[in-house]
Amino acid sequence: MIDLTMEEFILWMICVPILMVGFYTVAGSLQRRASQRQARRHIVICRVCGYLYHDRSRSRGPRCPECGRSNERGRSRRLG
């Protein structure tokens, strides 16, 4: 049998649920960030006309539906 004093029992009854809530909060936050990052991968902004569009293809340079120019995925690394 486990010997617990009343103080230890109360401490366990308070700390364990708080730790569980904290764990599920962190796990939910990480999952939400991952899904937002995945959704942002499919958004492309045309570097010429500024048109924002979704492209689910795996090509590195998808074409803009407005002006037809090829664009790079991700942030622009150009200066200026």
Side-chain angles (χ1 to χ4, degrees), residues 76-80:
S76 176
R77 296 176 196 247
R78 296 181 191 162
L79 298 176

Side-chain angles (χ1 to χ4, degrees), residues 29-53:
S29 175
L30 291 175
Q31 184 178 11
R32 187 173 48 253
R33 281 186 182 179
S35 66
Q36 288 174 349
R37 194 174 325 125
Q38 183 69 22
R40 275 184 284 182
R41 285 186 185 151
H42 300 295
I43 296 174
V44 181
I45 299 174
C46 180
R47 307 245 193 269
V48 177
C49 67
Y51 186 70
L52 179 86
Y53 60 98

Side-chain angles (χ1 to χ4, degrees), residues 4 7-25:
L4 287 176
E7 292 84 15
E8 291 173 338
F9 178 73
I10 291 173
L11 187 64
W12 275 101
M13 294 304 291
I14 292 174
C15 289
V16 170
I18 289 174
L19 288 174
M20 289 175 53
V21 167
F23 173 76
Y24 284 117
T25 302

